[in-house]
Structure formats: C-alpha cells, structure tokens
Amino acid sequence: DAGVTQSPTHLIKTRGQQVTLRCSPISGHKSVSWYQQVLGQGPQFIFQYYEKEERGRGNFPDRFSARQFPNYSSELNVNALLLGDSALYLCASSSRLAGGTGELFFGEGSRLTVL
Amino acid sequence: GQQLNQSPQSMFIQEGEDVSMNCTSSSIFNTWLWYKQEPGEGPVLLIALYKAGELTSNGRLTAQFGITRKDSFLNISASIPSDVGIYFCAPLNYGGSQGNLIFGKGTKLSVKP
C-alpha cells in the first residue's frame, strides 16, 4: 500500500508569489494534518482536516489556508510568500481524529525555498 | 504558555555506545510519543507511552513516561550507524489528536562507526 504522498517534492518561489502543495493520505485515512518544519526545528502544526472539515489550526497567519477534498486528499495554500516561509512542509494522515492510539504517518515533505 | 524542552540538542557518539535523551514540559500530559526523522524523510513513530511510569521497549529502544507526567526519556542501547537521525518527543493529552502535535526541537544523533 502507498504511504502518504506529497507533491511537489521541491520548489522555488519568489517573495509575494503563491504556492499550492498537495497531499494524498494513506488509503482509508480520513484525517490529514499539515506541519511546517524550519531547518533545525521540530515540525510545527498548521492545520488538521477530518472528513473535509477543519478541525484544528495552529498559530499561522491567514496567508495560510488549506482544504480537504471528498477523496480525503488535501491542499495547502500559502499566499504572499515571505522569505521566512522557506521550510519543509509535511503532510501526515491518521485513521482517527482523536484518541492517543491514532498513529500519525508522515509523507516525505515538500521543500519550499522562497527567494 | 506551554514549554517543551528537549535535550541534548545533539550527540556525537561511537558505534556501540548507549544513548540517552529526554524531554520535559511545563504542562502535564497523558501521552508521550517519540519520533525519528532521517534525512529527506518525514518523522516516523518509534514508541508511544500512555501511562505515567510506563516503561516500553522497541528493540534496542526503551522509553519511559515520567511519574510527574511532565517528562519522558528515550534510551538507545548499543548504537549502530543506522540510528543516525533526529529524535523528537511529542506529548499530547487524553482525547487529543495525534494530528495536532507539539514537537520538541529534537536531538540530532550522529554515530561514528
């Protein structure tokens, strides 16, 4: 079975541009979460979607938005890119919304560089 | 606000040595998770702890959930080169979602053959 897949794997943008990152969860998983990982730091929570509804939002500006589609895949959009948005963006899926035993499975990430 | 401290920041050890790292928090949690991230990969769950005082092993890895519920420890015995990576702790509360985790800053492990 395929794991969590993300695209693109790498991309370069310039300040002010917009970017869309895509994620396909593990088959059967209905929860998708997005994390930002800046170099040298742990992943930081951005959004969680479950059954196509936003179920959690981290401390990120409104330039960050996301959505989940009927097939449970998800997109993360970032508008008006800043240099500080350069990071590895990780998508993770889980079979559950809540409960400590709902293990999170991560994709390999999308490496965004903003020039 | 909640503070999560993970130490050490990095470790350089010889193959065969034992490794110990820990995570402390200003808040109480009901679950402690330990993840490993290898270069170019996303984090992978190593061990999950659900009960204060719990000691859990996964091969050469052993993790403990502190009695105070504010800390956790991860030990790796007889390290090998493939243990290289960054280890993260991630605590959460009962009923909380693993999709919404707070990660420590990580412990970067380097193993010299």
Side-chain angles (χ1 to χ4, degrees), chain A residues 33 35 37 48 97-98 100 102 104, chain B residues 37 42 50 88 95-99 101:
Chain A
S33 297
Y35 288 80
Q37 187 175 23
Q48 182 183 19
L97 171 62
L104 205 60
Chain B
Q37 186 175 26
Y50 301 109
F88 295 101
S97 174
Q98 288 201 25
L101 292 174

Side-chain angles (χ1 to χ4, degrees), chain A residues 2-6 23-26 29 31-37 42-47 88-94 102-110, chain B residues 33-37 40-46 88 90 98-103:
Chain A
V4 177
T5 57
Q6 293 187 243
C23 172
S24 292
I26 291 173
H29 284 191
S31 173
V32 170
S33 297
W34 288 95
Y35 288 80
Q36 181 195 64
Q37 187 175 23
Q44 187 173 359
F45 172 72
I46 310 176
F47 286 111
L88 180 68
Y89 288 85
L90 294 162
C91 174
S93 75
S94 173
E103 182 179 344
L104 205 60
F105 294 87
F106 284 87
E108 295 183 351
S110 293
Chain B
L33 308 172
W34 284 92
Y35 283 83
K36 178 188 178 186
Q37 186 175 26
E41 305 284 334
V44 174
L45 183 65
L46 296 174
F88 295 101
Q98 288 201 25
N100 178 354
L101 292 174
I102 300 170
F103 285 86

Side-chain angles (χ1 to χ4, degrees), chain A residues 17-109:
Chain A
Q17 284 189 313
Q18 174 263 343
V19 67
T20 298
L21 307 177
R22 296 175 177 81
C23 172
S24 292
I26 291 173
S27 178
H29 284 191
K30 298 180 180 179
S31 173
V32 170
S33 297
W34 288 95
Y35 288 80
Q36 181 195 64
Q37 187 175 23
V38 174
L39 198 63
Q41 302 289 321
Q44 187 173 359
F45 172 72
I46 310 176
F47 286 111
Q48 182 183 19
Y49 277 78
Y50 181 78
E51 288 281 18
K52 293 157 282 182
E53 291 187 5
E54 182 181 306
R55 295 303 189 104
R57 185 184 183 115
N59 188 23
F60 280 81
D62 291 342
R63 299 184 296 107
F64 289 76
S65 63
R67 54 179 175 168
Q68 186 177 33
F69 299 98
N71 65 354
Y72 303 110
S73 67
S74 177
E75 284 183 352
L76 175 70
N77 294 287
V78 186
N79 294 322
L81 286 167
L82 303 174
L83 295 179
D85 294 331
S86 296
L88 180 68
Y89 288 85
L90 294 162
C91 174
S93 75
S94 173
S95 59
R96 296 187 182 193
L97 171 62
T101 55
E103 182 179 344
L104 205 60
F105 294 87
F106 284 87
E108 295 183 351

